[in-house]
Amino acid sequence: MIKAILIFNNHGKPRLIRFYQYFAEDMQQQIIRETFHLVSKRDDNVCNFLEGGSLIGGSDYKLIYRHYATLYFVFCVDSSESELGILDLIQVFVETLDKCFENVCELDLIFHMDKVHYILQEVVMGGMVLETNMNEIIAQVEVQNRLEKSESLPFILH
Amino acid sequence: MALKIVKGSIDRMFDKNLQDLVRGIRNHKEDEAKYISTCIDEIKQELKQDNIAVKANAVCKLTYLQMLGYDVSWAAFNIVEVMSSSKFTYKRIGYLAASQCFHESTDVIMLTTNQIRKDLSSPNQYDTGVALTGLSCFVTPDLARDLANDIMTLMSHTKPYIRKKAVLIMYKVFLKYPESLRPAFPRLKEKLEDPDPGVQSAAVNVICELARRNPKNYLSLAPLFFKLMTSSTNNWVLIKIIKLFGALTPLEPRLGKKLIEPLTNLIHSTSAMSLLYECVNTVIAVLISLSSGMPNHSASIQLCVQKLRILIEDSDQNLKYLGLLAMSKILKTHPKSVQSHKDLILQCLDDKDESIRLRALDLLYGMVSKKNLMEIVKKLMLHVDKAEGTTYRDELLTKIIDICSQSNYQYITNFEWYISILVELTRLEGTRHGHLIASQMLDVAIRVKAIRVFAVAQMATLLDNAHMLTGNTQRNGICEVLYAAAWICGEFSEHLENPMETLEAMLRPKVATLPGHIQAVYVQNAAKLFATVLKSQEGNTDSTTAQEASQLMIDRLPLFVQSANLEVQERASCILQLVKYIQKLQQKDVEVSEEVCALFAGELNPVAPKAQKKVPIPDGLDLDAWINEPPSESESEDEQPKAIFSKEEPKHSRPRHTEVDEKELARRREARKQEQANNPFYIKASPSSQKVYQETPGVEHIPVVQIDLSVPLKVPGLPMSDQYVKLEEERRQKERAEKKKKDKKKRKEKRSGRGKKHDSGPESEEDITPAHMVDIVTEEMPENALPSDDDERDPADPHKALDIDLDKPLADSEKLPVRSHRAAEVLKSPAEDEEGENVSSLEPKKKSSKEKREKKKDKDKDRKKSKEEKKKKKHKHEEKEEADLLCGQADEPAFQSEETNEVVTPPTSTSADVSDLDFWLSNAPVPSNTQEAATVAAAEAAPAPGAISVTTPDSEPEEPKDTEMEETKSSKHKKKKQKREKEDKEKKKKKKHHHHHHHHGDKGGEESVQNGTVEEEEPLPPMSNYCLLAENSYIKVAYDIQGNLQDGSQVVVSVIFENKCDSFLKSMEFNVLDSLNSKLQRPEGSGPHDSLTIPFQLPPGVSNEARFVFTVQSIIMPQKLKGTLTFIVKNEESSTHEKLDFKLHFTCTSYLITTPCYSDAFAKLLESGDLKSSSIRLEGVNMPFHHLLARICFHHHFSVVERIDSCASMYSRSIQGHHVCLLVKISSQTVSVDAKCDEPTLLGNVLDEIKQTFSQC
């Protein structure tokens, strides 16, 4: 199970947060801060796994993260997930973002948090991996975007 | 309408959208909070508007603000509004917001049930998808219960996109509503073989999550997973399955044996590191589960270790980390194989990456031996000095202590060294683990008697240098160590070289700055020291030292008497008075030391931490039973105990006050010694410290254990512990030299190759003897301690509730409490189908020779079955064609087609395997060409259903000649199975008549009667409560009414609309003429006569369901409401507006809710006398009694309380809380129903309705 997915930038500003277990807002912010603190002090050439977030998880949970340019993508997962699998999943997610936003950068995530959520929803659902095939993810996202577009034309009743 | 929309979008142009909000926040970096609060005000204004577009925009912005940490739960209701928008765009925004901020205690969640249900059954798959995604984040137990059935239906949706989401969300449903697991499991299992890889992956995912927590319930799926493992090429699925096997193997070692080969093959063949790693992990799990002594598996372990070494040596830090992680698992059972890689692991300790260092530390724990412990700890101590952040340093500290103290200090050969390591650790600044060090010091000093002298000396030094430690008085800081130091110095004060000095150190004014609990220990142990000083001075003609000691106590203790800490204060004032008294006696030259020492006499034994828990309850002791008459409640509470006290007090007080004279004391001591001698848990030490107390006065007589202290304790430049390392080395060398001498002698006598080992190889473990024999006192345990090491599960663990046996056949009672009666029926069918499938799955289709045996086993059943199968297949086949037409529509038809599919789909070979795990496991080892076998199976699965029965071999040799043990075992199984199958077959017979359309449901009833026997197991005819509401040439409308559990004034009417014509039906509107008593609930803002738009359209031949909520006031009378349905019939040429009138009949039954009732509560209810009674008689009822009961339960919402022979009591409750009790008796076709209810009118009507039900059949 994935317990949380956090995306924040090099300064710890959240760009997307997705908790699959309830935490109150202030607790969520605390978790983001703690996670940022843990992750940010690590060099880029060390491993991508991290134990010991005290606020979220416990001994069974791990932080698995990747650092892309200005953004950290952090997944908090328990032992039922394959560590390398989750790393691949982060890669798939980021590549999907890249395809959907055409050369994704932090600004895309800042201004289109909702869209990033919709893409994420096609990858992970309720803390479980839903789809890992990038083409399938993109296809579903695009169909839904088209559906949204068709609804935004108020004069064409359908 | 159009104008409104235009106006809305113009409004929106002036509103801030999400991008504007973000931009604004970025432009107001200085006063962000202020800017956001104005934005929130704007959002509040926007939420007040009617326009849904504006609202959705506002909610979208709130979602963003939620991310920034703002609580937006105040807008929960608006979020629900946006969720219920008919437009996908807005719905999606609403669900996203809900998934981000709803949780179990969000109260508006209750309002969403119907909306979500509607979305789940929406014809637009993305509406359904969005609802499922949202629900997965905020599902509550109530939602799970109410929607479990709808979601289960979606698991068989025509679109794989919906199927996979529905499958995944079931896991959440199970967690919140464990009762749903058993009814839903068969279908979930079926999805493991879904044609769509995404759905299959989802099902594997869910079952793996379930099995991880309760593996034993999923063992029977092993064959199925095994097949998936050997046939799947999806690495995600493979990883999950392999992980699952890792959880299953500990329960079934035979499974492990079967797995080794394919896993080894995968390890060799795969290029994916993630897969390789999981394979290695599971092989390790298998090897752990297989007990040692499997010589041919040493190759596997070598393979694993070798692969892991490659990972650890890889330049990729991730692989290095995982390699170490897996290595630590091997370590537990095969430490030897890992120890050979010690170099590599020690190297990792120097890695720049903290995660890797931590993993390497873990490994060290298992790699130490008597030989290398000191060396490893020395290395760690160096790291402690170098470590930067405190977390890593603290981790190192705990690891050092862990490593040294593991398995009862097994690897420590020199405790002086260990004590000095502990003392060195106290020099760490800012560590959080002072407490840990302290407890180690205490433990060692108490349990290793020989070390006490040394420990006391060290502790005295610590106390003397206390100012070095008290610098930081952080909580849990290093000053905790002083607690241990003071206690050790006090308790074992007889070993102190200079007790007077230590006493002085313990009473320094600076001590008053220590935390209270430490001061308390100081004070108490100062008294012990004082006693020792007095004793040492006894017999000494010069009593100045003793008097000095008393004076010191009297001078310094008042400081502690003033302490704010109660414990300190109390101890200090007690001891102060005592010392004052002693001083007086001293001045009179009275010998007091004996009495003072007696205060602290007695040995303290270490008690195992779990000892208290393990005390067995003596026979005949019932802790819950009253030992006297329970006090009557009427008596006032405080009087009684007082009375007891005053009576008992004189008895108690006397012995307490009597002086314990010396004789008595000695007698007791003697008794205790006797007891200790008989106590197997107490390890007797030769020179008991207690003896020292009594028999040898004076310090000079204390026996001091000789330590080879050739080097002074403090040598500049070297840390203390290093000297012990050196000393130990020397000692060992000496020992070795001696041994060699002996060996030489031996070898002269006996020339064997054995001697070589001693010569060339390094000394082995056993050769190292501890520096001096140490008694490690084992921790005391109570006699007859229970050996069980019960690692209790966290009671809050939600998975505990999911520990459910899934192999038991589904009982009728296990239906999901869903408000729809259609649901109840739906539920039963998959369960029955599942059982049916189990039967049909035995159909032999495997040709491979090794499976032949199983085929033989099954053949007799198959022969009987094949005919029946053929018939049934034909029947179902017809249905399938019909169902195919309906595919791709709403969930209703989708469900039907699925159900047919279920039977038509030729059961693939694995499901046959599932039926007998034992047999599968006892099979010959798997051939390497399983892949091939799987494809053959798949190819066989392909032919049309009709053909299958042809391939079924009808003639086969009789009984298999089983000589093997396993065979006899499985034949036992077989008998059981056959029995079950007979029952199943009977069910099947009935099922032939099972029609999937609710309206025809009642037909099967008569057939089941012909069976004659009234068996509990006998299947019930399918029933449906849906009755026809209205019908014309275009549409058929059926309905059912159920009470609402939550609200006593609401009923829900489920209406199924079925399109009968070739045209498209759209713009359906539903309206009812309200009466005074009953009103249709309309959305806010609509008038009392407005009709409700039905949220779907009906393509030709499709049916769908809508639900309407009515509020009712009185429920005691049945009622009819007139209504109309209008709709547009649209075909290619034209469209016409049509109208259909109907009458909704609200029966009294529909206000009843099936409520379970226990027989004692039922009896109480009847006794209460509040109920009015009434009765009816039904003549000429010829159906089995249990059918009759089932009908009453089903159609009239009763539950059976108790049933004895042909008599049963039943219970139900109305939505307004009326109790309805029935006593039903049957004798030769006459049924009498005696009924009681607190509302006679309601009862009369209900009885009339029951009568009606039975007159119809």
Side-chain angles (χ1 to χ4, degrees), chain B residues 932-950:
Chain B
E932 208 179 290
T935 44
V936 172
E940 281 176 348
I948 287 167
S949 41
V950 181

Side-chain angles (χ1 to χ4, degrees), chain A residues 47-48 51 111 131 140 151, chain B residues 89 126 164 318 321 359:
Chain A
C47 78
N48 300 81
E51 292 149 77
F111 286 106
E131 185 58 68
Q140 296 296 354
E151 283 183 342
Chain B
T89 315
Y126 292 104
K164 71 181 176 193
N318 292 327
Y321 171 89
R359 289 272 68 87

Side-chain angles (χ1 to χ4, degrees), chain B residues 822-989:
Chain B
R822 182 178 61 107
E825 187 195 31
V826 164
L827 262 182
K828 224 174 283 164
S829 341
E832 282 169 10
D833 276 356
E834 165 56 21
E835 279 172 51
E837 203 181 17
N838 270 346
V839 177
S840 53
S841 67
L842 290 165
E843 220 177 322
K845 242 182 307 96
K846 331 119 243 171
K847 282 183 175 162
S848 50
S849 60
K850 56 189 157 56
E851 280 172 322
K852 231 174 196 161
R853 271 188 299 173
E854 180 154 352
K855 200 152 78 179
K856 283 177 198 167
K857 236 168 40 108
D858 292 333
K859 49 92 240 248
D860 47 344
K861 296 160 221 161
D862 294 325
R863 240 183 303 162
K864 275 188 241 161
K865 279 205 61 254
S866 52
K867 280 184 201 164
E868 199 183 322
E869 205 79 27
K870 267 185 219 164
K871 258 193 270 168
K872 197 179 68 196
K873 287 274 154 66
K874 225 188 244 168
H875 180 79
K876 294 287 182 188
H877 196 52
E878 284 160 13
E879 268 193 24
K880 194 204 174 187
E881 283 167 357
E882 177 190 273
D884 278 348
L885 293 171
L886 310 179
C887 281
Q889 311 302 339
D891 71 301
E892 185 63 17
F895 167 68
Q896 289 173 2
S897 65
E898 180 276 330
E899 205 168 318
T900 24
N901 271 340
E902 210 165 69
V903 187
V904 176
T905 315
T908 41
S909 58
T910 44
S911 30
D913 295 344
V914 180
S915 58
D916 200 336
L917 180 69
D918 271 345
F919 186 81
W920 180 75
L921 285 170
S922 62
N923 250 348
V926 213
S928 47
N929 60 348
T930 29
Q931 204 94 16
E932 208 179 290
T935 44
V936 172
E940 281 176 348
I948 287 167
S949 41
V950 181
T951 62
T952 309
D954 269 14
S955 59
E956 277 275 36
E958 282 286 72
E959 271 289 304
K961 290 154 200 151
D962 26 356
T963 42
E964 287 170 51
M965 279 259 288
E966 293 100 345
E967 280 289 359
T968 41
K969 204 175 182 184
S970 48
S971 71
K972 242 185 242 168
H973 256 262
K974 192 179 76 185
K975 270 176 204 158
K976 230 187 273 171
K977 222 180 344 173
Q978 275 175 331
K979 201 171 164 192
R980 202 183 332 137
E981 263 153 40
K982 250 183 212 165
E983 293 162 16
D984 285 345
K985 254 179 251 169
E986 257 160 5
K987 276 186 200 168
K988 281 257 140 160
K989 241 184 245 167

